[in-house]
Amino acid sequence: MPPVSPDAHRPLRLGLLRCDDPVPELRSICGTYADMFADVIARVDPSAEMDTFSLPDDEWPDDLDAYDGWMTTGTRASVYDDVPWITQFADFVRQLHAERRKMFGVCFGHQMIAHALGGTVQRAPHGWTVGANVWKIHERREWMVPPSDEVRLIHSHQDQVVSLPPGGVVLAGADRCPIAMLAVGDRLIGLQGHPEFQPEFVGPLYESRTELLGTDVVAEAKTSLASPCNQELAATWMLRFFAGSG
C-alpha cells in the first residue's frame, strides 16, 4: 500500500497513548505495545511517524496540533477504575471530542470513548472474550478501503461496551461483542479488537492466564489463532481514517 499521508509533503504523524505494557517475560516475543503498533503501522505505511505518551507515568501531549490523530493501547485496568490517570484520560477524550480531533481507540480506548461520553462499559456476562473473533460490518465509512463485509481480529478483554454514548453508532459487531466497533460523529472511532496483536504474542499471553481463563478457554482461543486475521486491513482503515479530510 502506498503512504497514506494527509498531503504529499509530509508523513502522517500519530500520537499513541500508552496505557499499559506486557509483563516483562512476554516482551521478548514482540516487544512493548508501542513496538507492536509501530510494527503493524510500518507494514501499512512505512512513512508514518508515531510518538508515544505513557499515561500511567503522567506523560500527556502539550501540542495537539502536531498530530493527525490519536491511538491507544490496551490495559489491564478498567475505564471505571478510580485512578487519577484514567480520570484524566476521560477528560482528554472529552477534549478531543469537543475540539473535533481524531481518535481511533483500540480496546481500552474504544471503551473509554463510550465511557467518557456517556455510554456504559461493564464486565461481559459471558466472561472473557479471547482468541480471534469475526465481526460483521453494519455501517460502512469512506475510509474502509479496501472494503470488507467482515473483519477477523484478536480479542482479549472482559469489559466491553454495552450501551452507546449519545450520537454513537455501531459500525461492526461480533457474536460475543455486539459493539465491536463504534463511531461518535466522524472524528472518534472505537475498535475492541487488536490490529497490533500477533498470534505469537497472544498464544503465550493466554497460556500465562490459564488459571484465570480456564484450560478449555485457552485451548479454544489458541486454536482460533490458526486462521489468518486481518491486522493489516484494520491498520489500513485506521490510517486512512487519520489521513482523510472528514
Side-chain angles (χ1 to χ4, degrees):
M1 172 183 166
V4 293
S5 59
D7 60 54
H9 305 291
R10 68 173 181 85
L12 195 65
R13 190 177 184 197
L14 305 172
L16 178 68
L17 305 172
R18 188 191 71 79
C19 303
D20 207 345
D21 260 325
V23 295
E25 53 267 32
L26 293 177
R27 291 179 203 167
S28 62
I29 302 172
C30 291
T32 65
Y33 290 145
D35 293 331
M36 297 179 201
F37 269 96
D39 177 68
V40 73
I41 288 171
R43 282 186 271 131
V44 172
D45 182 356
S47 74
E49 300 174 354
M50 186 184 79
D51 293 333
T52 300
F53 300 87
S54 177
L55 304 193
D57 295 320
D58 203 30
E59 295 177 3
W60 298 89
D62 55 12
D63 183 8
L64 299 185
D65 292 329
Y67 297 90
D68 296 297
W70 302 91
M71 306 174 295
T72 68
T73 73
T75 178
R76 288 160 285 188
S78 296
V79 294
Y80 44 78
D81 287 346
D82 186 15
V83 178
W85 75 264
I86 294 178
T87 300
Q88 188 170 351
F89 185 22
D91 290 338
F92 184 76
V93 170
R94 287 187 281 267
Q95 179 184 358
L96 295 181
H97 184 48
E99 297 181 6
R100 288 186 48 77
R101 299 181 186 274
K102 290 185 177 183
M103 174 180 172
F104 207 111
V106 172
C107 192
F108 183 71
H110 162 79
Q111 296 169 11
M112 182 56 82
I113 290 172
H115 173 75
L117 299 179
T120 305
V121 176
Q122 62 185 37
R123 289 281 196 267
H126 54 256
W128 281 83
T129 297
V130 292
N133 289 260
V134 177
W135 26 278
K136 304 290 185 180
I137 302 299
H138 299 320
E139 183 171 315
R140 228 174 265 291
R141 294 293 170 92
E142 68 280 356
W143 40 264
M144 293 180 179
V145 178
S148 180
D149 293 329
E150 62 182 36
V151 176
R152 180 182 175 87
L153 281 182
I154 294 169
H155 285 232
S156 183
H157 58 96
Q158 59 179 332
D159 287 344
Q160 62 187 42
V161 179
V162 297
S163 71
L164 294 167
V169 175
V170 179
L171 299 184
D175 290 342
R176 290 176 63 87
C177 186
I179 306 178
M181 189 177 192
L182 63 82
V184 180
D186 59 0
R187 298 299 177 108
L188 300 182
I189 306 296
L191 177 67
Q192 183 60 71
H194 288 272
E196 79 282 14
F197 276 5
Q198 300 296 327
E200 58 265 32
F201 167 71
V202 292
L205 172 66
Y206 297 152
E207 288 178 355
S208 73
R209 295 176 175 175
T210 299
E211 186 173 343
L212 175 65
L213 299 173
T215 303
D216 292 344
V217 171
V218 170
E220 183 179 356
K222 291 182 65 178
T223 298
S224 75
L225 302 176
S227 298
C229 292
N230 302 123
Q231 292 97 333
E232 291 186 20
L233 174 64
T236 298
W237 287 4
M238 182 166 60
L239 296 191
R240 288 195 182 281
F241 163 73
F242 287 128
S245 59

